[in-house]
């Protein structure tokens, strides 16, 4: 990128995971619903209707702001952001302006193995608008409808300072933000469904530490498109600068089909939102009691957890990463450790057998019937060599399907495993007596004969003995006999 | 039914007749409907008469068992200003832009009226979106003053005030943003209350300026106004600005002996050159009588009065410009035909749908909120508002009630001020400060100038409606003026 300094800041909107909308009691579960079926006078902005804040919105937004190390403002004031658009039923959006929920936060994430710290400018809430639905073909015959099901769904908006220096960093930072909101259970963070959206501003300059002309890029609806749109802008702006032309300050939309950004209409730039405090909603004070309560409910942040997994459990960076990115999986892992403190073994099973099963079934760990306690019990049996690895895998599958514990399954399946060494010794001795030739072969140094004897013992126990135990006992008995 | 016989009746009197079987809710409703039919082609107080449904509701009440605990407004017809939402019944705001609007829900006050047994008789005329002081700004023609049909009924609740004065209905609801209940009540010689901000839910009141709008009762006497207020007041979970107070109870009204101990403040700034002499004389005369009666009268100062009106005309239009943004022809209401594209849809719909005064205030408000002017206008307006509120707080440290004129003059002639908006705005000069302060304030007839009523404004500190009603009821009895009975309108008087 030929020596230009790239400066990027991102602005992330997430739907908050509330049951009801921000200012009315309509449901938020709008995916796949009949247009305008989740509406009422309030979220339709019918004359005379008034907003009443859903307290849950405040709690979730505070949670996000606290998790991002923000300073919390003691007073919440909602402002009106005035503009005309058909998907905006009241002609204004209820948002926050000079009193956001939190300011001056930090987000830490990893890129290329290095930890980066990006400053968070502000975290605030606002209501979402509806959605235009275009029908018909060609401009002249086209018709537009408006679906207000999304209107009034609460959003938390997280704005970073322009501290990012490459499209890759922007993508990683966004991914970390998504992991965080999911961790906090503040949002489902689903980009495909539009519950997580990202805008970015990007500028290039010749001089380090100095910013160039800022271009805002909108309409990016996947991590990939964020990366590609910003990469496109780096190329585009570099080539403009190289030819000594000025970059125009403007808003551009990412065209997913053509892989280019295109300039939006100039009007959007000149918009004056005429913010003023919403007189329908009185200012509110954030009590210390509420903050304390929310602080107590905060979970460990993913990056910190990853470091802890690597230090405390001696997992590799890659293993820890896979675990913590999926909070439920990491929770499952740690829960299992409470009953069976062998992190390495648990991690292996979680990342191989369990993930494989979940992927095949398209399930999340918390949706499955398998509990951490069940896995711990299974691994204990395995460790004590009471069952073989093959049997353990078999039993695990059964646990997923039935939700029964390992002992129950083993009993049901008639796997009466031979755990009693005395009993096994008896069988081993029997086999030694029955196969003098093989014993002789073994004693004369033929390794294969040993395997033959193991097989014979296994056969005699109908596969119910732990092969490891069989080997140990056999070796001991052969030694004693010889 | 003979109206002359009923002219001094209160709710309690109608209830007495219901109980004794001499009158039924149906008969009473029919009588008022007849009265409207006879008088309203001249007055134009009603935009809609809810005849069929009112009769049906009344006949349901006819069969109710009448014990001692009648709901407070049982069988009493009530008219509702047409900026208050009524489910399925057109609610126009006096504007073409909402001419066909039928709300899908009831305002909280409408539900509360129904719960109290009242019968919704119809929707009354108003200045478009409650912006005006004469009801001449209605898209459906002005409401005339029952005392002189060549004069205005006041505004913006002119329809409600005129309908009560002409006894088309015993009770009505208005809304008061800067004086829109008290000023028309004064012009029509009836009682109008602007309650403390937050005492009556605004849910379902089509917003003009949210931080100032309050629904208020209009009645023929103080007692009825108090009963109506009792039925409407109280917290509403659908309105965040509604105060978390228990509903007002008429039991809070102190008895006459207590009322005699109140200290009366008379704000100096309300008796300056803008006050017309005949009105000043009626007010002064009343104050003199109170003085002779032994009340403690005290001149007080509300030093920021001069700035209150200017600040009001910044704050109210600013909020209005935002509240009225939703009328764009997309979801409901009027939509201009033959538009080319979205911007054209907005521009033509709003140009054709809104009246002149509404457009004027939207322009004012848009300007004072725009970036670069916000600090200079909107913010300044809000700061002045705080100073005005403090003036009243200080005043109420010294006295229990404040007395002042309601309007600078008697009802003016139709067309007289409509050409000069500033002259029109000045008619609210005595009602705006208390609205800006959010305090309780009531207008009460205290005499006549050449057959035209003159109102007295009684003000108390926030949430002191008990004292307000107590003093006003005493004053009403003391003045002993005949209840309004204007006679110079309608078919019956024509011959
Ligand atoms: Zn809703």
């Amino acid at each position: 990128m030929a020596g230009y300094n790239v400066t990027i800041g991102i602005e992330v909107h997430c739907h908050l995971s509330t049951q009801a909308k921000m200012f009315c009691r309509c449901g938020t579960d709008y995916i796949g619903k009949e247009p305008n079926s989740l509406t009422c006078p309030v979220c339709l902005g019918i004359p005379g209707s008034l907003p009443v804040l859903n307290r849950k919105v405040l709690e979730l937004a505070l949670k996000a702001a606290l998790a991002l190390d923000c300073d919390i403002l003691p007073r919440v004031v909602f402002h009106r952001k005035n503009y005309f658009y058909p998907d905006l039923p009241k002609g204004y959006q209820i948002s926050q302006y000079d009193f956001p929920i939190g300011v001056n936060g930090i987000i830490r994430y990893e890129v290329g193995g290095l930890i980066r710290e990006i400053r968070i400018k502000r975290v605030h809430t606002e209501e979402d608008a509806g959605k235009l639905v275009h029908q018909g073909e060609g401009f002249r015959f086209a018709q537009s409808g408006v679906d207000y099901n999304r209107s009034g769904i609460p959003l938390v908006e997280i704005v970073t300072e322009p501290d990012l220096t490459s499209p890759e960093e922007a993508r990683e930072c966004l991914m970390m933000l998504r992991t965080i909101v999911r961790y906090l259970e503040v949002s489902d963070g689903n980009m495909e469904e539009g519950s997580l959206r990202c805008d970015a501003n990007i500028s290039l300059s010749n001089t380090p530490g100095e910013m160039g002309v800022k271009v805002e890029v909108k309409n990016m609806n996947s991590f990939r498109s964020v990366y590609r749109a910003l990469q496109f802008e780096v190329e585009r702006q570099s080539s403009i600068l190289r030819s000594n032309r000025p970059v125009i300050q403007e808003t551009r939309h990412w065209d997913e089909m053509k892989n280019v950004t295109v300039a939006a209409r100039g009007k959007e730039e000149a918009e004056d939102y005429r913010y003023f405090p919403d007189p329908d909603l009185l200012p509110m004070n954030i009590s210390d009691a509420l903050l304390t309560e929310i602080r107590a409910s905060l979970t460990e942040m993913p990056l910190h957890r990853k470091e802890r997994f690597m230090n405390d459990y001696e997992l590799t960076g890659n293993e820890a990463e896979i675990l913590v990115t999926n909070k439920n999986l990491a929770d499952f892992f740690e829960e299992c450790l409470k009953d069976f403190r062998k992190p390495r073994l648990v991690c292996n099973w979680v990342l191989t057998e369990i993930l494989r099963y979940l992927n095949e079934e398209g399930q999340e760990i918390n949706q499955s019937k398998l509990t951490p306690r069940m896995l711990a019990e299974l691994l204990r049996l395995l460790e004590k060599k009471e069952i073989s690895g093959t049997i353990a895998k078999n039993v695990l599958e059964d646990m997923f399907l039935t939700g029964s514990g390992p002992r129950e399954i083993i009993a049901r399946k008639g796997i009466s495993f031979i755990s009693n060494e005395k009993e096994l010794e008896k069988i081993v001795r029997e086999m030694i007596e029955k196969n003098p030739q093989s014993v002789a072969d073994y004693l004369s140094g033929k390794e294969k004969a040993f395997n033959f004897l193991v097989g014979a013992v296994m056969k005699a126990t109908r596969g119910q003995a732990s092969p490891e135990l069989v080997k140990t006992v056999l070796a001991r008995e052969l030694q004693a006999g010889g | 039914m003979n109206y002359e016989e009923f002219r001094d009746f209160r709710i309690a009197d109608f209830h007495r007749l219901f109980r004794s079987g001499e009158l039924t809710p149906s008969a009473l409703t029919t009588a008022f409907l007849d009265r409207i039919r006879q008088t309203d082609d001249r007055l134009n107080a009603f935009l809609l008469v809810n005849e069929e449904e009112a009769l049906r509701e009344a006949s349901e009440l006819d069969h109710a068992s009448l014990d001692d605990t009648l709901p407070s407004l049982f069988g009493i017809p009530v008219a509702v200003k047409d900026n208050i939402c009524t489910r399925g019944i057109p609610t126009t705001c006096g504007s073409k832009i909402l001419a066909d609007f039928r709300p899908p829900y009831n305002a909280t006050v409408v539900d509360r009226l129904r719960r109290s047994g009242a019968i919704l008789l119809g929707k009354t005329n108003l200045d478009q979106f409650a912006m005006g002081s004469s009801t001449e700004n209605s898209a459906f023609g002005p409401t005339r003053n029952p005392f002189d049909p060549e004069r205005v009924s006041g505004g913006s609740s002119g329809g409600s005030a005129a309908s009560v004065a002409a006894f088309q209905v015993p009770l009505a609801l208005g809304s008061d943003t800067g004086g829109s209940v008290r000023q028309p009540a004064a012009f029509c010689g009836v009682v109008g209350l602007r309650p403390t901000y937050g005492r009556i839910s605004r849910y379902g009141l089509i917003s003009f300026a949210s931080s100032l709008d309050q629904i208020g009762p209009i009645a023929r006497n103080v007692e009825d106004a108090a009963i109506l207020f009792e039925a409407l007041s109280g917290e509403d979970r659908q309105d965040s600005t509604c105060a978390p107070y228990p509903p007002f109870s008429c039991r809070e009204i102190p008895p006459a002996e207590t009322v005699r101990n109140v200290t009366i403040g008379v704000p100096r700034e309300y008796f300056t050159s803008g006050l017309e002499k005949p009105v000043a004389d009626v007010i002064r005369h009343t104050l003199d009588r109170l003085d002779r009666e032994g009340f403690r009268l005290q001149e007080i100062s509300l030093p920021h009065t001069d700035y209150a009106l200017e600040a009001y005309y910044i704050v109210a239009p600013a909020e209005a410009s935002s509240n009225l943004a939703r009328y764009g022809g997309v979801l409901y209401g009027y939509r201009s035909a033959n538009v080319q594209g979205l911007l054209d849809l907005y521009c033509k719909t709003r140009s054709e749908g809104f009246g002149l005064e509404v457009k004027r205030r939207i322009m004012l408000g848009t300007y004072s909120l725009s970036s670069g002017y916000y600090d200079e206008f909107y913010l300044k307006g809000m700061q002045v508002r705080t100073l005005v509120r403090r003036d009243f707080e200080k005043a109420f440290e010294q006295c229990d009630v404040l007395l002042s004129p309601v309007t600078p003059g008697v009802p003016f002639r139709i067309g007289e001020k409509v050409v000069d908006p500033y002259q029109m705005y000045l008619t609210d000069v005595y009602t705006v400060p208390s609205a800006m302060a959010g305090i309780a304030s009531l207008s009460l007839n205290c005499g006549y100038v050449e057959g035209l009523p003159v109102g007295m404004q009684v003000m108390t500190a926030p949430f002191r409606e008990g004292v307000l009603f107590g003093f006003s009821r005493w004053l009403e009895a003391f003045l002993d003026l005949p209840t309004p009975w204007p006679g110079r309108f309608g078919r019956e008087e024509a011959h």
Side-chain angles (χ1 to χ4, degrees), chain A residues 21 24-26 38-40 42-43:
Chain A
K21 289 186 180 179
C24 62
R25 305 174 80 163
C26 291
L38 292 176
T39 56
C40 72
V42 176
C43 57

mmCIF file of all heavy atoms in Angstrom, chain A residues 21 24-26 38-40 42-43, ligand 1:
data_model
loop_
_atom_site.group_PDB
_atom_site.id
_atom_site.type_symbol
_atom_site.label_atom_id
_atom_site.label_comp_id
_atom_site.label_asym_id
_atom_site.label_seq_id
_atom_site.Cartn_x
_atom_site.Cartn_y
_atom_site.Cartn_z
ATOM 1 N N LYS A 21 -39.677 -4.770 22.367
ATOM 2 C CA LYS A 21 -39.003 -3.658 21.704
ATOM 3 C C LYS A 21 -38.577 -2.599 22.722
ATOM 4 O O LYS A 21 -38.852 -2.714 23.903
ATOM 5 C CB LYS A 21 -39.933 -3.057 20.647
ATOM 6 C CG LYS A 21 -40.143 -3.970 19.430
ATOM 7 C CD LYS A 21 -40.957 -3.291 18.343
ATOM 8 C CE LYS A 21 -41.136 -4.223 17.151
ATOM 9 N NZ LYS A 21 -41.952 -3.586 16.085
ATOM 10 N N CYS A 24 -41.985 -0.183 23.455
ATOM 11 C CA CYS A 24 -43.334 -0.745 23.530
ATOM 12 C C CYS A 24 -43.173 -2.220 23.871
ATOM 13 O O CYS A 24 -42.077 -2.697 24.107
ATOM 14 C CB CYS A 24 -44.091 -0.564 22.219
ATOM 15 S SG CYS A 24 -43.341 -1.400 20.812
ATOM 16 N N ARG A 25 -44.290 -2.945 23.887
ATOM 17 C CA ARG A 25 -44.198 -4.328 24.332
ATOM 18 C C ARG A 25 -44.271 -5.317 23.189
ATOM 19 O O ARG A 25 -44.416 -6.520 23.397
ATOM 20 C CB ARG A 25 -45.280 -4.585 25.369
ATOM 21 C CG ARG A 25 -45.164 -3.560 26.490
ATOM 22 C CD ARG A 25 -46.284 -3.668 27.468
ATOM 23 N NE ARG A 25 -46.042 -4.752 28.392
ATOM 24 C CZ ARG A 25 -46.679 -4.881 29.545
ATOM 25 N NH1 ARG A 25 -47.572 -3.997 29.886
ATOM 26 N NH2 ARG A 25 -46.429 -5.891 30.335
ATOM 27 N N CYS A 26 -44.160 -4.823 21.953
ATOM 28 C CA CYS A 26 -44.165 -5.729 20.804
ATOM 29 C C CYS A 26 -42.939 -6.639 20.859
ATOM 30 O O CYS A 26 -41.892 -6.237 21.345
ATOM 31 C CB CYS A 26 -44.123 -4.934 19.508
ATOM 32 S SG CYS A 26 -45.638 -4.029 19.196
ATOM 33 N N LEU A 38 -45.795 -7.477 13.929
ATOM 34 C CA LEU A 38 -45.273 -7.201 15.277
ATOM 35 C C LEU A 38 -45.243 -5.685 15.494
ATOM 36 O O LEU A 38 -44.184 -5.096 15.658
ATOM 37 C CB LEU A 38 -43.858 -7.762 15.424
ATOM 38 C CG LEU A 38 -43.698 -9.275 15.412
ATOM 39 C CD1 LEU A 38 -42.228 -9.648 15.481
ATOM 40 C CD2 LEU A 38 -44.441 -9.910 16.571
ATOM 41 N N THR A 39 -46.402 -5.069 15.436
ATOM 42 C CA THR A 39 -46.442 -3.610 15.557
ATOM 43 C C THR A 39 -47.595 -3.183 16.462
ATOM 44 O O THR A 39 -48.510 -3.953 16.706
ATOM 45 C CB THR A 39 -46.630 -2.938 14.181
ATOM 46 O OG1 THR A 39 -47.814 -3.468 13.587
ATOM 47 C CG2 THR A 39 -45.459 -3.160 13.278
ATOM 48 N N CYS A 40 -47.499 -1.947 16.951
ATOM 49 C CA CYS A 40 -48.559 -1.372 17.777
ATOM 50 C C CYS A 40 -48.523 0.138 17.536
ATOM 51 O O CYS A 40 -47.629 0.628 16.846
ATOM 52 C CB CYS A 40 -48.323 -1.709 19.249
ATOM 53 S SG CYS A 40 -46.954 -0.804 19.982
ATOM 54 N N VAL A 42 -47.380 2.465 19.231
ATOM 55 C CA VAL A 42 -46.125 3.112 19.635
ATOM 56 C C VAL A 42 -45.034 2.918 18.582
ATOM 57 O O VAL A 42 -44.426 3.885 18.126
ATOM 58 C CB VAL A 42 -45.652 2.594 21.012
ATOM 59 C CG1 VAL A 42 -44.298 3.184 21.379
ATOM 60 C CG2 VAL A 42 -46.691 2.924 22.078
ATOM 61 N N CYS A 43 -44.796 1.679 18.156
ATOM 62 C CA CYS A 43 -43.684 1.481 17.210
ATOM 63 C C CYS A 43 -44.090 1.851 15.786
ATOM 64 O O CYS A 43 -43.238 1.904 14.900
ATOM 65 C CB CYS A 43 -43.096 0.078 17.308
ATOM 66 S SG CYS A 43 -44.238 -1.259 17.066
HETATM 67 ZN ZN1 LIG C 1 -44.923 -1.825 19.255
#
